[in-house]
mmCIF file of all heavy atoms in Angstrom:
data_model
loop_
_atom_site.group_PDB
_atom_site.id
_atom_site.type_symbol
_atom_site.label_atom_id
_atom_site.label_comp_id
_atom_site.label_asym_id
_atom_site.label_seq_id
_atom_site.Cartn_x
_atom_site.Cartn_y
_atom_site.Cartn_z
ATOM 1 N N VAL A 208 81.747 -59.361 83.191
ATOM 2 C CA VAL A 208 82.024 -58.505 82.033
ATOM 3 C C VAL A 208 81.898 -59.297 80.732
ATOM 4 O O VAL A 208 81.244 -58.861 79.781
ATOM 5 C CB VAL A 208 83.427 -57.881 82.148
ATOM 6 C CG1 VAL A 208 83.787 -57.119 80.876
ATOM 7 C CG2 VAL A 208 83.511 -56.953 83.357
ATOM 8 N N VAL A 209 82.503 -60.490 80.705
ATOM 9 C CA VAL A 209 82.459 -61.312 79.498
ATOM 10 C C VAL A 209 81.027 -61.744 79.199
ATOM 11 O O VAL A 209 80.563 -61.686 78.047
ATOM 12 C CB VAL A 209 83.376 -62.540 79.654
ATOM 13 C CG1 VAL A 209 83.192 -63.499 78.481
ATOM 14 C CG2 VAL A 209 84.837 -62.105 79.748
ATOM 15 N N SER A 210 80.301 -62.178 80.233
ATOM 16 C CA SER A 210 78.925 -62.630 80.045
ATOM 17 C C SER A 210 78.032 -61.511 79.539
ATOM 18 O O SER A 210 77.140 -61.738 78.709
ATOM 19 C CB SER A 210 78.375 -63.181 81.368
ATOM 20 O OG SER A 210 77.049 -63.608 81.228
ATOM 21 N N THR A 211 78.273 -60.292 80.022
ATOM 22 C CA THR A 211 77.466 -59.152 79.573
ATOM 23 C C THR A 211 77.643 -58.890 78.081
ATOM 24 O O THR A 211 76.726 -58.419 77.407
ATOM 25 C CB THR A 211 77.839 -57.893 80.375
ATOM 26 O OG1 THR A 211 77.696 -58.157 81.767
ATOM 27 C CG2 THR A 211 76.941 -56.727 80.007
ATOM 28 N N GLY A 212 78.801 -59.215 77.549
ATOM 29 C CA GLY A 212 79.069 -58.940 76.139
ATOM 30 C C GLY A 212 78.627 -60.026 75.188
ATOM 31 O O GLY A 212 78.602 -59.814 73.972
ATOM 32 N N ILE A 213 78.277 -61.217 75.712
ATOM 33 C CA ILE A 213 77.951 -62.351 74.844
ATOM 34 C C ILE A 213 76.443 -62.469 74.673
ATOM 35 O O ILE A 213 75.686 -62.375 75.639
ATOM 36 C CB ILE A 213 78.527 -63.651 75.426
ATOM 37 C CG1 ILE A 213 80.053 -63.579 75.478
ATOM 38 C CG2 ILE A 213 78.097 -64.861 74.597
ATOM 39 C CD1 ILE A 213 80.705 -64.782 76.105
ATOM 40 N N GLY A 214 76.019 -62.709 73.448
ATOM 41 C CA GLY A 214 74.606 -62.886 73.156
ATOM 42 C C GLY A 214 74.349 -62.701 71.678
ATOM 43 O O GLY A 214 75.255 -62.824 70.841
ATOM 44 N N ASP A 215 73.081 -62.411 71.316
ATOM 45 C CA ASP A 215 72.745 -62.142 69.904
ATOM 46 C C ASP A 215 73.636 -61.041 69.342
ATOM 47 O O ASP A 215 74.071 -61.105 68.192
ATOM 48 C CB ASP A 215 71.281 -61.715 69.790
ATOM 49 C CG ASP A 215 70.338 -62.899 69.891
ATOM 50 O OD1 ASP A 215 70.744 -64.000 69.494
ATOM 51 O OD2 ASP A 215 69.209 -62.728 70.371
ATOM 52 N N MET A 216 73.860 -60.028 70.158
ATOM 53 C CA MET A 216 74.760 -58.936 69.784
ATOM 54 C C MET A 216 76.021 -59.048 70.630
ATOM 55 O O MET A 216 75.971 -58.892 71.854
ATOM 56 C CB MET A 216 74.092 -57.577 70.016
ATOM 57 C CG MET A 216 75.020 -56.384 69.734
ATOM 58 S SD MET A 216 74.313 -54.812 70.308
ATOM 59 C CE MET A 216 72.915 -54.677 69.189
ATOM 60 N N TYR A 217 77.164 -59.331 69.991
ATOM 61 C CA TYR A 217 78.414 -59.421 70.749
ATOM 62 C C TYR A 217 78.960 -58.019 71.008
ATOM 63 O O TYR A 217 78.998 -57.168 70.114
ATOM 64 C CB TYR A 217 79.461 -60.235 69.994
ATOM 65 C CG TYR A 217 80.813 -60.221 70.688
ATOM 66 C CD1 TYR A 217 81.028 -60.976 71.844
ATOM 67 C CD2 TYR A 217 81.848 -59.408 70.198
ATOM 68 C CE1 TYR A 217 82.257 -60.935 72.486
ATOM 69 C CE2 TYR A 217 83.077 -59.378 70.841
ATOM 70 C CZ TYR A 217 83.275 -60.141 71.988
ATOM 71 O OH TYR A 217 84.472 -60.099 72.642
ATOM 72 N N ILE A 218 79.372 -57.783 72.260
ATOM 73 C CA ILE A 218 79.953 -56.499 72.654
ATOM 74 C C ILE A 218 81.278 -56.796 73.341
ATOM 75 O O ILE A 218 81.321 -57.559 74.314
ATOM 76 C CB ILE A 218 79.022 -55.732 73.613
ATOM 77 C CG1 ILE A 218 77.625 -55.574 72.993
ATOM 78 C CG2 ILE A 218 79.608 -54.369 73.966
ATOM 79 C CD1 ILE A 218 76.606 -54.973 73.933
ATOM 80 N N ASN A 219 82.362 -56.221 72.863
ATOM 81 C CA ASN A 219 83.655 -56.524 73.461
ATOM 82 C C ASN A 219 83.750 -55.912 74.865
ATOM 83 O O ASN A 219 83.028 -54.957 75.182
ATOM 84 C CB ASN A 219 84.808 -56.052 72.564
ATOM 85 C CG ASN A 219 84.879 -54.541 72.456
ATOM 86 O OD1 ASN A 219 85.046 -53.834 73.445
ATOM 87 N ND2 ASN A 219 84.752 -54.032 71.221
ATOM 88 N N PRO A 220 84.623 -56.458 75.721
ATOM 89 C CA PRO A 220 84.682 -56.018 77.120
ATOM 90 C C PRO A 220 84.874 -54.521 77.312
ATOM 91 O O PRO A 220 84.282 -53.929 78.222
ATOM 92 C CB PRO A 220 85.871 -56.803 77.681
ATOM 93 C CG PRO A 220 85.917 -58.046 76.842
ATOM 94 C CD PRO A 220 85.508 -57.610 75.475
ATOM 95 N N LEU A 221 85.689 -53.880 76.450
ATOM 96 C CA LEU A 221 85.893 -52.444 76.591
ATOM 97 C C LEU A 221 84.596 -51.671 76.346
ATOM 98 O O LEU A 221 84.259 -50.726 77.087
ATOM 99 C CB LEU A 221 86.974 -51.977 75.609
ATOM 100 C CG LEU A 221 87.317 -50.480 75.659
ATOM 101 C CD1 LEU A 221 87.818 -50.086 77.045
ATOM 102 C CD2 LEU A 221 88.362 -50.134 74.587
ATOM 103 N N ASP A 222 83.846 -52.088 75.328
ATOM 104 C CA ASP A 222 82.566 -51.433 75.050
ATOM 105 C C ASP A 222 81.538 -51.727 76.131
ATOM 106 O O ASP A 222 80.628 -50.916 76.371
ATOM 107 C CB ASP A 222 82.035 -51.878 73.680
ATOM 108 C CG ASP A 222 82.839 -51.294 72.529
ATOM 109 O OD1 ASP A 222 83.462 -50.239 72.741
ATOM 110 O OD2 ASP A 222 82.861 -51.913 71.443
ATOM 111 N N VAL A 223 81.663 -52.896 76.772
ATOM 112 C CA VAL A 223 80.780 -53.205 77.901
ATOM 113 C C VAL A 223 80.980 -52.196 79.020
ATOM 114 O O VAL A 223 80.022 -51.656 79.583
ATOM 115 C CB VAL A 223 81.032 -54.640 78.415
ATOM 116 C CG1 VAL A 223 80.332 -54.853 79.761
ATOM 117 C CG2 VAL A 223 80.533 -55.664 77.413
ATOM 118 N N TRP A 224 82.245 -51.927 79.361
ATOM 119 C CA TRP A 224 82.540 -50.947 80.405
ATOM 120 C C TRP A 224 82.011 -49.564 80.024
ATOM 121 O O TRP A 224 81.467 -48.842 80.873
ATOM 122 C CB TRP A 224 84.048 -50.872 80.655
ATOM 123 C CG TRP A 224 84.543 -51.923 81.601
ATOM 124 C CD1 TRP A 224 85.382 -52.948 81.319
ATOM 125 C CD2 TRP A 224 84.217 -52.044 82.987
ATOM 126 N NE1 TRP A 224 85.599 -53.714 82.435
ATOM 127 C CE2 TRP A 224 84.904 -53.178 83.478
ATOM 128 C CE3 TRP A 224 83.415 -51.312 83.856
ATOM 129 C CZ2 TRP A 224 84.805 -53.597 84.799
ATOM 130 C CZ3 TRP A 224 83.313 -51.732 85.182
ATOM 131 C CH2 TRP A 224 84.008 -52.852 85.641
ATOM 132 N N LYS A 225 82.161 -49.188 78.771
ATOM 133 C CA LYS A 225 81.652 -47.893 78.324
ATOM 134 C C LYS A 225 80.125 -47.838 78.469
ATOM 135 O O LYS A 225 79.565 -46.820 78.915
ATOM 136 C CB LYS A 225 82.043 -47.651 76.868
ATOM 137 C CG LYS A 225 83.526 -47.390 76.651
ATOM 138 C CD LYS A 225 83.811 -47.132 75.179
ATOM 139 C CE LYS A 225 85.294 -46.857 74.943
ATOM 140 N NZ LYS A 225 85.584 -46.631 73.498
ATOM 141 N N ALA A 226 79.462 -48.943 78.093
ATOM 142 C CA ALA A 226 78.001 -48.978 78.186
ATOM 143 C C ALA A 226 77.535 -48.927 79.637
ATOM 144 O O ALA A 226 76.527 -48.285 79.953
ATOM 145 C CB ALA A 226 77.471 -50.236 77.499
#
Side-chain angles (χ1 to χ4, degrees):
V208 173
V209 172
S210 179
T211 304
I213 297 177
D215 283 330
M216 176 191 293
Y217 174 75
I218 306 173
N219 67 60
L221 181 60
D222 289 336
V223 168
W224 276 114
K225 289 181 180 179

